[in-house]
Amino acid sequence: MKQLNILILFCLFFADSLAKQNIDSLVIRFYSWDESKQPHVITCSNFEYERPYVDYSVADQTTITDFLNQLNNLQETKDTDFCVGCKIFFLQDGIVKSTACLNSNLILINGKTLFCDKNLIRTIDGMMNKGTLIDTQKNYLCGKYGDEYVDGREALFLKLELYLNKNLPEVIKKKGAIRIKVYCKSDQKGNTIMVQPHVYNDSLSDEQNKFVDRLLIRFFKNEIKWKPNDTLMKSDMIEILYKYIVKKE
């Protein structure tokens, strides 16, 4: 009973929040309902960089209200990863107020994962059929993952350079340029929850490589905050490519 009350409260909060925002239009960004077409896990963050898609605009208020009411009747499930085949943007006066990411089984919205039903999918298909085609994107950028550093990627590189300048011993600095590849994962609040560094310099010993790895792990876990994103999924990876060069005085 307690779980049911929590679910009802969430639905009422979701309905009230969107109603207060006066959603006047939707943009449906669609690729496919068929997960078998996906080569790997396509998330909310990398959707536009991995798949071609088509955008439809929906402005009929009766249709939008009916769609919002259907969303409020969906049951919540635990956060989970799934292949995103569609994104829906909720707009007011041309400004995106909320975003939903979904496939034929699950939908992620406002940081919550809900079970989709067939009626909702049929409604979305109907909105696309009656909506206005506004964009067909065929030339997508393959291979970009995750979100950016909260202050921008260039600020991240500067912060990383200063950190390495301060913490790398001279014996490692004398080994020459170090190519660095780091994979991070972030939670929806922007906290780093996983760091996987790769260091490339043939002159470094195994122990020196491990030392640089440990430095990078401490840096990204303790120093770095990513942009908060309530559509972030566990499969989202943030890829950092950087070349550290000791600057001569």
Side-chain angles (χ1 to χ4, degrees):
M1 178 63 73
K2 184 177 180 180
Q3 289 181 335
L4 179 60
N5 290 337
I6 293 173
L7 175 61
I8 292 172
L9 285 173
F10 167 70
C11 291
L12 291 174
F13 172 76
F14 176 67
D16 185 55
S17 63
L18 283 180
K20 287 181 178 179
Q21 291 175 17
N22 296 318
I23 301 303
D24 55 33
S25 63
L26 306 174
V27 170
I28 302 174
R29 181 161 291 170
F30 183 73
Y31 168 63
S32 173
W33 297 126
D34 185 2
E35 288 190 55
S36 66
K37 292 184 178 181
Q38 310 282 32
H40 51 265
V41 177
I42 306 301
T43 69
C44 300
S45 296
N46 66 27
F47 180 83
E48 285 85 357
Y49 301 97
E50 293 282 344
R51 299 287 85 191
Y53 58 81
V54 178
D55 279 352
Y56 299 90
S57 176
V58 179
D60 181 76
Q61 202 59 51
T62 300
T63 301
I64 293 173
T65 300
D66 179 57
F67 176 61
L68 295 180
N69 288 336
Q70 288 187 54
L71 284 177
N72 293 331
N73 292 322
L74 301 179
Q75 289 187 332
E76 185 179 347
T77 182
K78 291 181 179 179
D79 290 343
T80 184
D81 284 333
F82 59 90
C83 282
V84 174
C86 178
K87 292 178 74 169
I88 299 177
F89 302 92
F90 301 82
L91 288 83
Q92 177 194 30
D93 297 329
I95 299 173
V96 176
K97 295 296 184 178
S98 187
T99 304
C101 301
L102 64 155
N103 62 14
S104 59
N105 299 308
L106 297 166
I107 178 169
L108 175 62
I109 184 169
N110 288 355
K112 304 288 184 179
T113 305
L114 312 172
F115 287 113
C116 280
D117 58 30
K118 293 182 180 179
N119 289 332
L120 187 77
I121 300 304
R122 282 195 289 267
T123 296
I124 296 171
D125 285 337
M127 290 193 295
M128 288 191 290
N129 288 333
K130 295 179 180 179
T132 303
L133 178 65
I134 56 176
D135 186 27
T136 299
Q137 182 59 256
K138 296 181 179 179
N139 299 317
Y140 57 97
L141 301 173
C142 184
K144 182 179 173 69
Y145 292 89
D147 206 348
E148 293 288 353
Y149 178 49
V150 67
D151 293 324
R153 188 63 62 107
E154 291 303 318
L156 171 63
F157 290 158
L158 177 59
K159 192 177 182 74
L160 178 55
E161 178 184 357
L162 295 173
Y163 178 83
L164 293 176
N165 284 344
K166 179 180 178 180
N167 293 283
L168 278 180
E170 289 299 321
V171 65
I172 291 181
K173 291 180 181 179
K174 291 178 179 179
K175 298 289 185 177
I178 303 173
R179 290 190 300 111
I180 295 168
K181 180 185 289 187
V182 179
Y183 294 102
C184 293
K185 285 186 179 181
S186 165
D187 63 19
Q188 293 181 344
K189 294 181 180 180
N191 301 306
T192 304
I193 57 175
M194 187 277 284
V195 183
Q196 188 179 80
H198 301 272
V199 176
Y200 303 93
N201 181 314
D202 292 337
S203 300
L204 296 179
S205 67
D206 289 343
E207 190 58 39
Q208 288 170 335
N209 264 298
K210 291 177 182 178
F211 180 86
V212 179
D213 284 347
R214 290 193 295 269
L215 274 184
L216 293 171
I217 291 171
R218 286 201 297 270
F219 173 75
F220 282 98
K221 280 194 172 181
N222 300 331
E223 305 287 337
I224 297 305
K225 185 82 171 179
W226 307 97
K227 288 181 181 178
N229 181 355
D230 64 9
T231 64
L232 206 64
M233 303 171 75
K234 292 179 181 178
S235 294
D236 278 308
M237 299 289 286
I238 306 165
E239 182 180 11
I240 306 296
L241 300 175
Y242 178 72
K243 187 175 182 180
Y244 176 73
I245 301 174
V246 179
K247 295 179 179 178
K248 296 181 179 179
E249 297 294 339

